Amino acid sequence: MSQLENWEINQLKRIQGAIIGHGALILFIGLVAGVMLTFAMLNGIKIWPILDIPADIPGSIQGWKAAHVGGMMNGIMLIVIALCLSKLSITAGKLRFIFWAFILTGWGNTLFYWFGNLSMNRGLSVVASPYGEGDIYGAISFVSGGSVMLLTLLASLMIMQAGFKAARNNM
């Protein structure tokens, strides 16, 4: 890693902290989806021996599994990306792009999983798909998840390039 100025170090630390914070919150939301998965599997809010409230939990067991695992993986992804940034030499402009790309990815995917679970077509389209009719939940899901895909791919390629460059420079 090249020699950084104090302001660059401070900016990097601030960006890392923000990504870690967002990642931890997204991870928490994924864990909440795990609670919803449990309630959906039990057909109610059941915490033995305290509560036993029969309830029809919206969404599907498969959808809650996806929101649970996807949320945890997205949160972990953000935290790992944040920790990797200090190991790489990345320009300030690329660093800002990577920051916003992964913040938007984490939240876009979180909305995709939750609203996709509530939609009739799994959030894979704004209109009807082989999985069902389009609805507002499907539209929110599709737009939030689909709109960040290209950003995620580009930011991943930037990190890959910086990683390989660091590997070459340290040989």
Side-chain angles (χ1 to χ4, degrees):
M1 186 167 186
S2 63
Q3 200 69 325
L4 294 176
E5 300 288 329
N6 281 339
W7 70 271
E8 291 173 311
I9 293 169
N10 290 338
Q11 181 184 21
L12 177 60
K13 286 181 179 180
R14 192 172 63 250
I15 285 173
Q16 284 179 299
I19 296 173
I20 290 169
H22 282 274
L25 183 53
I26 290 166
L27 176 64
F28 174 80
I29 292 169
L31 293 169
V32 170
V35 172
M36 296 300 293
L37 168 61
T38 303
F39 292 160
M41 292 173 73
L42 295 173
N43 294 314
I45 302 168
K46 300 179 185 209
I47 305 171
W48 186 89
I50 303 166
L51 289 175
D52 189 353
I53 304 169
D56 186 22
I57 306 299
S60 67
I61 290 173
Q62 180 182 0
W64 286 118
K65 283 180 187 176
H68 175 52
V69 174
M72 290 190 318
M73 290 304 297
N74 275 276
I76 291 167
M77 175 182 66
L78 265 65
I79 293 167
V80 168
I81 293 295
L83 296 175
C84 290
L85 292 177
S86 61
K87 302 289 184 190
L88 305 172
S89 180
I90 301 174
T91 65
K94 284 185 179 181
L95 186 61
R96 280 191 297 279
F97 179 83
I98 289 167
F99 169 79
W100 284 111
F102 280 103
I103 295 299
L104 293 171
T105 293
W107 288 111
N109 287 343
T110 299
L111 292 174
F112 170 78
Y113 285 122
W114 280 72
F115 282 97
N117 188 27
L118 301 176
S119 73
M120 296 188 335
N121 67 6
R122 298 185 186 170
L124 299 175
S125 174
V126 173
V127 296
S129 76
Y131 295 101
E133 293 298 315
D135 59 12
I136 187 66
Y137 298 118
I140 293 169
S141 177
F142 178 79
V143 170
S144 64
S147 64
V148 297
M149 279 193 273
L150 184 59
L151 295 176
T152 311
L153 292 170
L154 290 173
S156 296
L157 288 173
M158 289 176 173
I159 292 170
M160 176 205 67
Q161 181 183 34
F164 286 136
K165 182 179 177 184
R168 279 191 310 273
N169 292 342
N170 288 318
M171 293 181 96

